[in-house]
Amino acid sequence: MMLRPRWVLALLFALAVAAGFALLGQWQIERAVEQSETIERPTEEVLPLGDLVEPDMATKQIATAQRVEVHGTFVPGDTVLVEGRLNDGAAGYWVVAHLEVTDAAAGGLPVALGWAADREAAQSAADAFDISVAQADSAETQVVGRFLPSEAPVAPDEDGDPFAMTTVAVAQLINVWVDYDDRPVYFGYITTTDAAPGLEAIVSPPPEHTFELNWLNVFYAVEWVVFAGFAVYLWYRLVRDAVEREAEEAEESAAEAEAAAAAVDEPAAP
């Protein structure tokens, strides 16, 4: 039965359909791998901030976690504490200052100066930093560190300090910076490599490169493989049905022939 021309042609058609489904499955697998590939960036090479980001613009992926350098002047009185920040697993406080960028597009930029385990130490370091900035009389300084995108603001607890900060949110900082109006601002912040006096350096490791498959594409690839197998199975099932149908027809023909023979051989009634 399988060697009959019509079924050979049907098999070739089924194999062609299965091959098409297999190619679609292979394409889905390639898509899953392509989307999971991580483009390695030289994040540890110190680059000028102005080459990566602009004020009042969203942070691009290429700038995230990049080590940068920038020149600017710190604004005394705008230094704040951000609580609940982990440093090597220990919770504490960040001291975040306000830098006005001078060597790139002008704009405000938050700078995390360092970490302290308790609020008193962090506040003391922040006060000392503001005093030193005021005494420097707007002297330009260089900041080197890792650039990270702005975090989302988090509302404080109902019974907590309404001015407490738990995230480095630019949208929240510009509301507490003194006399900060509609001037440009960078939607990100820098964690400095060298901590300010009285603080510990913030642990800011380079981003990890992970490899994760796009499982939705993998699922689609498995579906196409199943469809390919079903195309061949459908051909096999049709051939099997044809064989069974011919066998039934042959049995019926044989039964009819036997019945006719029996009728001929039966003696006539007296």
Side-chain angles (χ1 to χ4, degrees), residues 76-88:
D78 283 352
T79 307
V80 298
L81 304 185
V82 180
E83 61 186 44
R85 308 303 292 196
L86 297 179
N87 212 44
D88 261 352

Side-chain angles (χ1 to χ4, degrees), residues 41-111:
R41 297 182 287 110
T43 56
E44 302 314 290
E45 177 184 354
V46 178
L47 302 177
L49 177 70
D51 292 349
L52 300 173
V53 293
E54 298 179 8
D56 295 335
M57 299 293 289
T59 300
K60 298 179 180 178
Q61 182 64 32
I62 192 174
T64 301
Q66 176 68 48
R67 283 174 51 80
V68 298
E69 63 176 358
V70 63
H71 291 78
T73 57
F74 283 107
V75 180
D78 283 352
T79 307
V80 298
L81 304 185
V82 180
E83 61 186 44
R85 308 303 292 196
L86 297 179
N87 212 44
D88 261 352
Y93 295 80
W94 278 8
V95 176
V96 179
H98 170 197
L99 179 77
E100 281 294 321
V101 177
T102 57
D103 67 337
L109 176 67
V111 177

Side-chain angles (χ1 to χ4, degrees), residues 198-258:
L199 300 172
E200 296 182 24
I202 296 173
V203 177
S204 184
E208 296 182 357
H209 299 293
T210 58
F211 182 86
E212 294 182 1
L213 287 176
N214 187 320
W215 290 105
L216 182 60
N217 288 103
V218 173
F219 174 75
Y220 289 151
V222 173
E223 279 191 334
W224 286 120
V225 171
V226 172
F227 291 158
F230 181 75
V232 177
Y233 173 77
L234 180 61
W235 171 84
Y236 164 77
R237 185 65 190 180
L238 291 173
V239 173
R240 180 179 174 181
D241 290 344
V243 171
E244 291 177 351
R245 185 167 55 252
E246 287 193 2
E248 291 176 358
E249 292 175 353
E251 290 179 359
E252 290 177 358
S253 298
E256 291 176 357
E258 290 180 0

